[in-house]
Amino acid sequence: RIMPASFEARSDAVEMVSNELNQLVSGQKELELRYQTILAKKLDLMSSTKNQDRLTEVEKEVIEAGADLKNSTHVFGRSLRQNPLTGDNMVKVQEDRMFVERCMSDTLSECIQNCSFQALAETVRTQKERKARLQETILKEENGRKHVKMLHKKLIDIQKEKEIELQQRNNMIAHFKDQLQEMKAKTDMEGKYLKKSAEVTVAQTQKKCTLSEKAMQDEIESLKHQIEEENRCNQEIENYLRAHQEELEKKVDFWMEKYEKDVEAKQHELDVLKASKAKDLDKLQELTKLYKEYEQVVVEDRIEKEKARRKADQEAIELRAAIRVQSWWRGVMVRKGFGPYSKKKKGKKGKKGKKGKKKK
């Protein structure tokens, strides 16, 4: 009862499978065409514009299209591998049905005999372990394939690098060969040129040496004449210097004698000046003492005059202050009526008599 309906008994099984495959193929072609279009658009933008935002958007579209194409390729391959009309699928389903039947019969027997389902749990655990080992094997195989692909890619890159390096070295070798040929030709030319130049230089040097030798011979003759003339001049100069030396010695004796006489005269003048200085010094001391006495008298006189002036100023200040105090006191006495300025009460007679006096 768990077996699915088989397509082998149906007349339209081939047509159904063909339609499904045609849909997958058309979808795959559309995705490939979309990916190529977006990739061409990206290449055009990279060559025509420098807008980073637009390039980023196109890059995202390329990545999305590539992911969709990869998923579609995976589904297409899986559909081709899982064709329902193949005998492998039927064998797989039959094996799974027998395994489930055996597992259920063992579980039913254990339930009837022992009232438990340990066989089912053990079967499930065994299948999980088997699937885990299978998954681990598949993962190892995938990792191995990836590693092999990576190594193969590295090998290709290394081969390309070595080929490029070999090509570069071949180019360098050819370049060095060309340089070597050029250097050989240049060396030959330079050797010929240096040989000719050396020959010319030797000839020029010989000619120069001949001319120099002749010039030096002339110079030697000239120097001999100059030496003879210098010897004669030297002899005359020596004679003149000897005569001049004798004259200078006589002058030195004369000046030495004159120097001694002048020193004695100046020494006598110095002694006279020293004695005069001593007298003047004594006189200066006496005048200084007299000046100090006169100065003391003048200072004392000035002090006395200053004291008298200060005393006169103090008396004038005290007089002005006394006058002010008296004036102020009189004013106070007049205002307050003190002393002789007090108001006395008199009769009418006295007033009349007073008025008569005022009229008089």
Coordinates of all heavy atoms in Angstrom, one line a residue, residues 193-211:
Y193 N 89.2 52.5 -31.9 CA 89.3 53.9 -31.7 C 90.4 54.2 -30.6 O 91.2 55.1 -30.8 CB 87.9 54.4 -31.2 CG 88.0 55.9 -30.7 CD1 88.0 56.9 -31.7 CD2 88.0 56.2 -29.4 CE1 88.1 58.2 -31.2 CE2 88.1 57.5 -28.9 CZ 88.1 58.5 -29.9 OH 88.2 59.8 -29.5
L194 N 90.4 53.4 -29.6 CA 91.4 53.6 -28.5 C 92.8 53.3 -29.0 O 93.8 54.0 -28.7 CB 91.1 52.7 -27.3 CG 89.9 53.0 -26.5 CD1 89.6 51.9 -25.5 CD2 90.0 54.4 -25.8
K195 N 93.0 52.3 -30.0 CA 94.3 52.1 -30.5 C 94.8 53.3 -31.3 O 95.9 53.7 -31.2 CB 94.2 50.8 -31.4 CG 95.6 50.4 -31.9 CD 95.4 49.1 -32.7 CE 96.8 48.7 -33.3 NZ 96.6 47.4 -34.1
K196 N 93.9 53.8 -32.2 CA 94.3 54.9 -33.0 C 94.6 56.1 -32.1 O 95.5 56.9 -32.3 CB 93.2 55.2 -34.0 CG 93.1 54.2 -35.1 CD 92.0 54.6 -36.1 CE 91.9 53.5 -37.2 NZ 90.8 53.9 -38.2
S197 N 93.7 56.3 -31.1 CA 93.8 57.4 -30.2 C 95.1 57.3 -29.4 O 95.8 58.3 -29.2 CB 92.6 57.5 -29.2 OG 92.8 58.5 -28.3
A198 N 95.5 56.1 -29.0 CA 96.8 55.9 -28.3 C 98.0 56.2 -29.2 O 98.9 56.9 -28.7 CB 96.9 54.5 -27.8
E199 N 97.9 55.8 -30.5 CA 99.0 56.1 -31.4 C 99.1 57.6 -31.6 O 100.3 58.1 -31.5 CB 98.7 55.4 -32.7 CG 98.8 53.9 -32.6 CD 98.5 53.2 -34.0 OE1 98.0 54.0 -34.9 OE2 98.6 52.0 -34.1
V200 N 98.0 58.3 -31.8 CA 98.1 59.7 -31.9 C 98.6 60.4 -30.7 O 99.4 61.3 -30.7 CB 96.7 60.3 -32.3 CG1 96.7 61.8 -32.3 CG2 96.3 59.7 -33.7
T201 N 98.1 59.9 -29.5 CA 98.6 60.5 -28.2 C 100.1 60.3 -28.0 O 100.7 61.2 -27.6 CB 97.8 59.8 -27.1 OG1 96.4 59.9 -27.3 CG2 98.1 60.5 -25.8
V202 N 100.6 59.1 -28.4 CA 102.0 58.9 -28.3 C 102.8 59.9 -29.1 O 103.8 60.4 -28.7 CB 102.3 57.4 -28.6 CG1 103.9 57.2 -28.7 CG2 101.8 56.5 -27.5
A203 N 102.3 60.0 -30.4 CA 103.0 60.9 -31.3 C 103.0 62.4 -30.8 O 104.0 63.1 -30.8 CB 102.4 60.9 -32.7
Q204 N 101.8 62.8 -30.3 CA 101.7 64.1 -29.7 C 102.6 64.3 -28.5 O 103.2 65.3 -28.3 CB 100.2 64.4 -29.4 CG 99.3 64.6 -30.5 CD 97.9 64.8 -30.1 OE1 97.6 64.8 -28.9 NE2 97.0 65.2 -31.1
T205 N 102.6 63.2 -27.7 CA 103.5 63.3 -26.5 C 104.9 63.4 -26.8 O 105.7 64.2 -26.2 CB 103.2 62.1 -25.6 OG1 101.8 62.0 -25.3 CG2 104.0 62.2 -24.3
Q206 N 105.3 62.7 -27.8 CA 106.8 62.7 -28.2 C 107.1 64.1 -28.7 O 108.1 64.7 -28.4 CB 107.0 61.7 -29.3 CG 107.0 60.3 -28.8 CD 107.3 59.3 -29.9 OE1 107.3 59.6 -31.1 NE2 107.4 58.0 -29.5
K207 N 106.2 64.7 -29.5 CA 106.4 66.0 -30.1 C 106.4 67.0 -28.9 O 107.3 67.9 -28.9 CB 105.3 66.4 -31.1 CG 105.6 67.7 -31.8 CD 104.6 67.9 -32.9 CE 104.9 69.1 -33.7 NZ 103.9 69.4 -34.8
K208 N 105.5 66.9 -28.0 CA 105.5 67.8 -26.9 C 106.7 67.7 -26.0 O 107.3 68.7 -25.5 CB 104.3 67.5 -26.0 CG 102.9 68.0 -26.6 CD 101.8 67.7 -25.6 CE 100.5 68.1 -26.2 NZ 99.3 67.8 -25.3
C209 N 107.2 66.4 -25.9 CA 108.5 66.2 -25.1 C 109.7 66.9 -25.8 O 110.5 67.5 -25.1 CB 108.7 64.7 -24.9 SG 107.6 63.9 -23.8
T210 N 109.7 66.8 -27.1 CA 110.8 67.4 -27.8 C 110.8 68.9 -27.6 O 111.8 69.6 -27.3 CB 110.7 67.1 -29.3 OG1 110.7 65.7 -29.5 CG2 111.9 67.7 -30.1
L211 N 109.6 69.5 -27.8 CA 109.4 70.9 -27.6 C 109.7 71.3 -26.2 O 110.4 72.4 -25.9 CB 108.0 71.4 -28.0 CG 107.6 71.2 -29.5 CD1 106.2 71.5 -29.7 CD2 108.5 72.1 -30.4

